[in-house]
Amino acid sequence: MVTAVHTADDLIRILRQDPEILEQVRRAILTDELLELPEKFAEMAETQARMLETQAELLISHRRSEDRVGYLVGAELERKVFRILPVRLNQIYQLRRPRIVLRQGDYTPDTQRFLDDVENALDSATITEQQYERILLTDLVVRASRKGGQGAIYFAVEASGTVARRDIDRAFLASNAIRAVYQVDAVPVAVGYRIHPADRLYADQVAVRTIILEEEEL
């Protein structure tokens, strides 16, 4: 039975009533390639999602590798600084009996006395809570006497493979806090393998001593 079509509404009504005719019209109007586009787009989206997931996994793996390398470099640098720095400081400042009173992960009788002094300064409000924390987080604190009987001097040391502004700022803040504790000279020191010229200039401006370990010292 053929239904007469007089208007566009008649055509729409017929197409809605007979899905087979609708499909035949679609295929008459659209090419097979166009009909397959939704499926292809879905496949492309799935492929893109898999690629993004793979890239994210690679990025996470790369960051973990960088963290492991950074940890190893930092541990090796701290070992070398522990061995070399007192000698270098003695050469620069003409010191007597330089000794390390704070080293992360290493507690000696000198360390305990130093920490007691810092805690007493906090209890008496000589230093703030922020200054207290900054001292405790300092990589290395060295105490020495000056030749000629000029009194004690402290060095607040931050060690990093590449000395950056954050290391300079940390050393600066730690030295100020230690100076407040003992009321004696405290010198901020940033030590590492390399430093950008702009950061070296910044260190000079804020009076932070930078020590770059030479190749023969490594």
Side-chain angles (χ1 to χ4, degrees):
M1 178 179 180
V2 179
T3 303
V5 177
H6 301 288
T7 66
D9 291 338
D10 293 335
L11 177 60
I12 292 172
R13 185 180 66 256
I14 293 170
L15 294 177
R16 287 177 176 173
Q17 293 174 352
D18 195 331
E20 184 177 347
I21 294 177
L22 177 60
E23 181 63 24
Q24 291 175 357
V25 171
R26 287 177 68 247
R27 291 196 173 276
I29 297 174
L30 303 176
T31 64
D32 290 340
E33 289 80 4
L34 289 175
L35 292 172
E36 293 171 358
L37 278 179
E39 183 177 351
K40 289 182 178 180
F41 279 133
E43 292 176 356
M44 290 172 61
E46 184 178 355
T47 300
Q48 183 69 14
R50 286 198 298 269
M51 290 176 61
L52 291 175
E53 183 177 353
T54 300
Q55 291 175 354
E57 291 174 352
L58 289 174
L59 180 58
I60 292 173
S61 176
H62 177 68
R63 286 179 176 174
R64 286 175 178 170
S65 297
E66 284 187 335
D67 289 343
R68 286 194 292 270
V69 171
Y71 174 80
L72 293 174
V73 170
E76 179 66 8
L77 175 61
E78 287 182 3
R79 183 186 67 80
K80 291 172 179 174
V81 167
F82 177 73
R83 175 173 56 87
I84 296 169
L85 191 62
V87 177
R88 292 293 299 273
L89 291 176
N90 183 55
Q91 293 170 347
I92 297 170
Y93 292 94
Q94 300 298 302
L95 304 175
R96 293 179 61 252
R97 299 180 60 194
R99 62 182 183 271
I100 292 173
V101 296
L102 178 66
R103 179 191 181 197
Q104 296 300 321
D106 183 24
Y107 292 92
T108 66
D110 283 338
T111 301
Q112 189 57 58
R113 284 191 291 270
F114 175 75
L115 293 178
D116 287 343
D117 291 341
V118 173
E119 289 178 2
N120 290 337
L122 175 64
D123 292 340
S124 64
T126 302
I127 59 173
T128 65
E129 188 74 34
Q130 290 77 15
Q131 288 177 311
Y132 172 76
E133 293 176 357
R134 182 67 264 157
I135 292 175
L136 295 189
L137 292 173
T138 304
D139 290 335
L140 211 66
V141 176
V142 178
R143 183 187 188 280
S145 299
R146 293 176 174 177
K147 291 181 179 179
Q150 299 180 27
I153 183 172
Y154 284 82
F155 299 88
V157 182
E158 286 294 323
S160 180
T162 298
V163 175
R165 180 169 293 205
R166 64 178 178 275
D167 307 302
I168 296 166
D169 288 338
R170 289 169 181 169
F172 178 82
L173 293 173
S175 68
N176 283 344
I178 294 171
R179 189 178 299 114
V181 172
Y182 290 106
Q183 301 298 311
V184 298
D185 285 346
V187 178
V189 179
V191 57
Y193 297 136
R194 63 195 70 85
I195 185 171
H196 190 276
D199 291 325
R200 186 187 292 275
L201 178 61
Y202 174 71
D204 292 340
Q205 291 172 344
V206 295
V208 172
R209 167 73 68 170
T210 56
I211 297 177
I212 303 304
L213 301 179
E214 302 295 337
E215 190 69 29
E216 58 270 18
E217 295 178 293
L218 306 183

